[in-house]
Structures are given as C-alpha cells and as structure tokens.
Amino acid sequence: MKPARRPDRPHFSSGPCAKRPGWSPDVLAGATVGRAHLSAAGQAKIAEAARRMRAVLAIPETHRIAIVPGSDTGAVEMALWSLLGARGIDVLTWESFGARWTSDIVEHLGIADARVFEAPYGELPDLAQVDCGRDIVFTWNGTTSGVCVPDAAWIAADRAGLTICDATSAVFAVDLPWDKLDVATWSWQKVLGGEAAHGTIALGPRAVERLRTHTPPWPVPRLFRLAERGQINQAVFAGQTINTPSLLCIEDAIDALKWAEEMGGLPVLIARSRANLAAIADWVAATPWIEFLAANESIRSSTSICLRLTEPAFAALAPEEQRGFVKRMAALLEGEGVAYDIVAHRHAPPGLRLWGGATVETQDTAALLPWIEWAYAHVRGEAQAS
Ligand SMILES: Cc1ncc(COP(=O)(O)O)c(C=O)c1O
C-alpha cells in the first residue's frame, strides 16, 4: 500500500540542496543584474552577503571573509595552493572529499611530508594521532559517509600549524569553533539551499600571517591567488572578487540568509537539522532492515544522513546489484514525486543518503520515511520474484 501522505517538497538532495521553504524565483527580483560587480550597487550586494554570513555564523572580526570562484572546491584548493608547503601536513580522510584533498596534497602538490590518516566509510580516523605542530587539513562533515568530527577538542588552542577545514556541509548546521579554524570553506548550495558556483573562505589571523610570510614553492593560479609577494589581496576581502561573480547567485544567498535570520539564526538552523536527524533516527530504530552508515552516534551527521540496508539477502548481493537495488528504490520514489536524489554517493557503500539540512522541513522528512518502506518492500518483492 502506498502511504497516504506525501512530502510537500521531495527535495532531499545533498547538493544543490532544497531551497528554503517559501522560495520562488521572485526573490531574485532585486538582483543587480546587468550591473558591473565593481559598481557601488554590485559591491553593496557582495558586502551584504558577506556581512550577513558573518552575522548568522557568528564569525569573529578576527576572521576575514571572501567570496571566491569555484564553489567549495575552489575555496579549499585556494587554501591548499596558497598556504601549504611551510611545514609538514596531517591530512584526515574518511570519505571521498577527504580523498580529493589528500590527492591534491600528495599527488598534485607533491608534498612529501604529508601524513595521511584514513578511515573507512562510516568511521573517523583516530583524531588523537594528529600533531598540531603540523598543518592539518580535514573535512568537518564527510558528506558521502555521513560522518562528522564530534568537536574540535583535538585541535590545540596553542597549535603551531594551521587548520584548514572544508566545512561545506557543516556550516549553518553546526556551531563551528572559529578560534580552532584558521581556514574554513563552504558553498551556498548546501545548508542554505542557495545557488552554486561561488565558494566562501574565512581566514583567521594565523592564516593571514602565513599568507604574508610564506611564498609557496609551486605556481599559484590567478583564481587561487590570495597574496602576491607577501602582499595580501586586500580587495578580495572587501568584496572585490577575484573574477566576475553571478549577482543572481549573490542575491539568492542574501535571500537565504534573510530567511535564516527571520527563522531565529544559527540555533534554529541547527535545531531544524537535528530534528531531521532525530526523525530518521527514530525510524531507523524501529525498522529492522536499515541502519546508519555511521554506527557511532557521536560522529553522525545531521545534514548528510547516510543509511545502509542490512538484510542478509541484500548483503549477499554483489556491490553492483546492491547499487541497482537502491537505484530502483530511488527511481520508484522519484516516479511517485516523493523523493529526489537519495541514492548514496557513487564512491560510498550502496545505500541511501537523505539531506537533513535546515531548509528541509521535518514534516517532509517524516512523510518520506513510510515511502522508503514502500519502495523497499516493492523492490524486495521484485528481487524475490526474479
Ligand atoms: C564535504 C564537501 N566538500 C566539497 C564539496 C564540493 O563542493 P562544491 O561542489 O561546492 O565545490 C562537497 C559537495 O558535496 C562536499 O560535500
């Protein structure tokens, strides 16, 4: 039997994520389209986006904020290319985004003194092994495994190295400890449900000092250049972006930030995300054939909620067959218009991934869960019949 209730909005993708409730293209009407981004009007919009992000996220004045090209990937790689090479590096990886940054560091920048701490999908590396005398590169929330660091207690306040944190699927859903993050990066299409293409980078004073005193031994592409010959690119932190931004995307981010403010700011965004996780956790506890990929509750993400199917008959399938099984479930759900884009990332173990960020209404999450049961029963029946 198909469940009677449907989610009002079937958007559970991990990026771009659901727009904020009530969003329509009309919210973009005030965009400074057709204007130069360096005009006073364009600059005012860029500054407004940065100012509102600072306010909602409670980023201290000690940190500089810049909107940069290339989405979160651009922001992370800008940090890696601009800041690394001054000392040894500890890089943490437990899913595909950490693996990307590891490959950048080891294979592309060719840094020999890099220690890689790795854990399989569903787990975290041993954070106690990290040496804060070295630079540390890590992802706060591993979007493809649904595993996040539980806190920043493992980062020393008096560290000598820099922390470079890809925070894209954590920011706006976690109370980030800015004093422990010398560099944090994110993109708007995740927890804000904003449009993609631009990244944001927040640099603390120690990272700024590194920019001043360290010239990387490799070429730094113009798109990544935050400093030249020891001179900080001050303009980029004042809203004069490295290249031309989309003022439509900026407007969309401003709209999402105003919504976040009206909702009650970061505490409410966090609570909304945690309510999504709680709804799913209750259902998982009551459902015998599904589990979190992250067995340990304390490292479980409330944004990218990753689930695995546990029945022996499913476990006995080859990985490609398992993937086919969940793809079939997802296709049925998409066909019913109740869930889009909920298959686990292609590099993750076969399973489901539900986005639980603040732009997703918990009533929609709750309405989706009986539909997942319906799809599971349907595909299981098909498999048994074949
Ligand atoms: C943890 C993490 N890092 C980086 C990225 C890449 O982000 P973008 O597409 O904004 O470059 C993603 C996208 O899902 C992500 O989840």
Side-chain angles (χ1 to χ4, degrees):
M1 285 281 287
K2 288 182 190 171
R5 223 179 109 217
R6 288 165 187 270
D8 291 330
R9 299 190 311 152
H11 302 106
F12 298 100
S13 157
S14 293
C17 303
K19 305 298 283 182
R20 56 106 169 153
W23 184 91
S24 85
D26 296 345
V27 305
L28 303 176
T32 48
V33 290
R35 296 294 313 273
H37 66 287
L38 293 177
S39 66
Q43 286 290 287
K45 289 287 189 182
I46 296 169
E48 180 179 352
R51 192 178 66 245
R52 288 185 190 272
M53 279 192 281
R54 183 186 291 285
V56 171
L57 295 171
I59 300 177
E61 289 300 328
T62 48
H63 284 56
R64 300 179 188 212
I65 298 176
I67 292 167
V68 300
S71 207
D72 181 60
T73 307
V76 174
E77 292 193 328
M78 162 182 281
L80 303 183
W81 260 254
S82 298
L83 295 165
L84 295 184
R87 51 177 69 224
I89 299 158
D90 282 1
V91 51
L92 301 171
T93 171
W94 58 92
E95 49 78 66
S96 74
F97 289 105
R100 279 189 194 178
W101 315 141
T102 305
S103 152
D104 274 356
I105 291 165
V106 175
E107 293 164 34
H108 294 267
L109 291 175
I111 298 175
D113 188 9
R115 303 194 305 173
V116 179
F117 297 94
E118 200 171 347
Y121 277 79
E123 294 172 32
L124 263 189
D126 182 2
L127 302 175
Q129 299 293 316
V130 169
D131 176 357
C132 292
R134 299 159 64 82
D135 290 340
I136 303 168
V137 176
F138 73 106
T139 306
W140 192 281
N141 183 78
T143 317
T144 58
S145 71
V147 169
C148 55
V149 293
D151 54 43
W154 52 283
I155 299 174
D158 62 349
R159 62 197 171 276
L162 294 182
T163 52
I164 299 178
C165 175
D166 170 4
T168 202
S169 53
V171 82
F172 297 105
V174 170
D175 197 4
L176 291 171
W178 295 102
D179 58 328
K180 296 281 183 85
L181 303 181
D182 299 310
V183 181
T185 66
W186 63 92
S187 46
W188 301 323
Q189 75 270 24
K190 288 244 167 283
V191 192
L192 280 183
E195 287 306 291
H198 301 297
T200 308
I201 189 165
L203 291 188
R206 304 178 62 256
V208 171
E209 184 56 20
R210 173 76 63 85
L211 280 180
R212 277 206 189 94
T213 54
H214 167 68
T215 301
W218 41 73
V220 179
R222 162 161 282 280
L223 279 179
F224 292 173
R225 229 171 282 158
L226 289 170
E228 221 160 334
R229 287 183 284 280
Q231 297 294 313
I232 309 288
N233 179 351
Q234 303 286 358
V236 74
F237 297 102
Q240 293 172 29
T241 47
I242 292 174
N243 64 343
T244 314
S246 158
L247 291 169
L248 267 183
C249 291
I250 302 271
E251 191 69 19
D252 196 54
I254 291 172
D255 168 71
L257 287 158
K258 284 183 180 165
W259 169 80
E261 290 158 14
E262 281 160 20
M263 292 300 291
L266 187 60
V268 173
L269 300 183
I270 294 171
R272 285 173 61 87
S273 179
R274 301 222 56 95
N276 284 323
L277 174 61
I280 293 171
D282 287 348
W283 173 72
V284 166
T287 308
W289 49 265
I290 199 154
E291 277 301 336
F292 286 99
L293 190 53
N296 177 349
E297 204 178 329
S298 70
I299 60 169
R300 208 174 273 164
S301 168
S302 67
T303 55
S304 59
I305 302 168
C306 296
L307 303 168
R308 61 187 183 88
L309 310 188
T310 58
E311 276 197 316
F314 181 82
L317 298 175
E320 271 325 298
E321 291 172 317
Q322 294 183 344
R323 227 171 274 285
F325 188 106
V326 286
K327 278 188 179 166
R328 174 84 181 117
M329 284 176 68
L332 284 171
L333 294 168
E334 181 166 343
E336 290 290 336
V338 293
Y340 298 147
D341 315 319
I342 62 166
V343 174
H345 190 271
R346 62 190 182 285
H347 294 139
L352 298 173
R353 179 174 58 166
L354 310 181
W355 185 251
T359 56
V360 176
E361 300 276 27
T362 303
Q363 65 201 37
D364 286 340
T365 304
L368 166 64
L369 303 173
W371 280 98
I372 296 180
E373 290 181 32
W374 167 80
Y376 181 72
H378 196 102
V379 179
R380 197 168 171 266
E382 286 176 348
Q384 280 167 351
S386 67

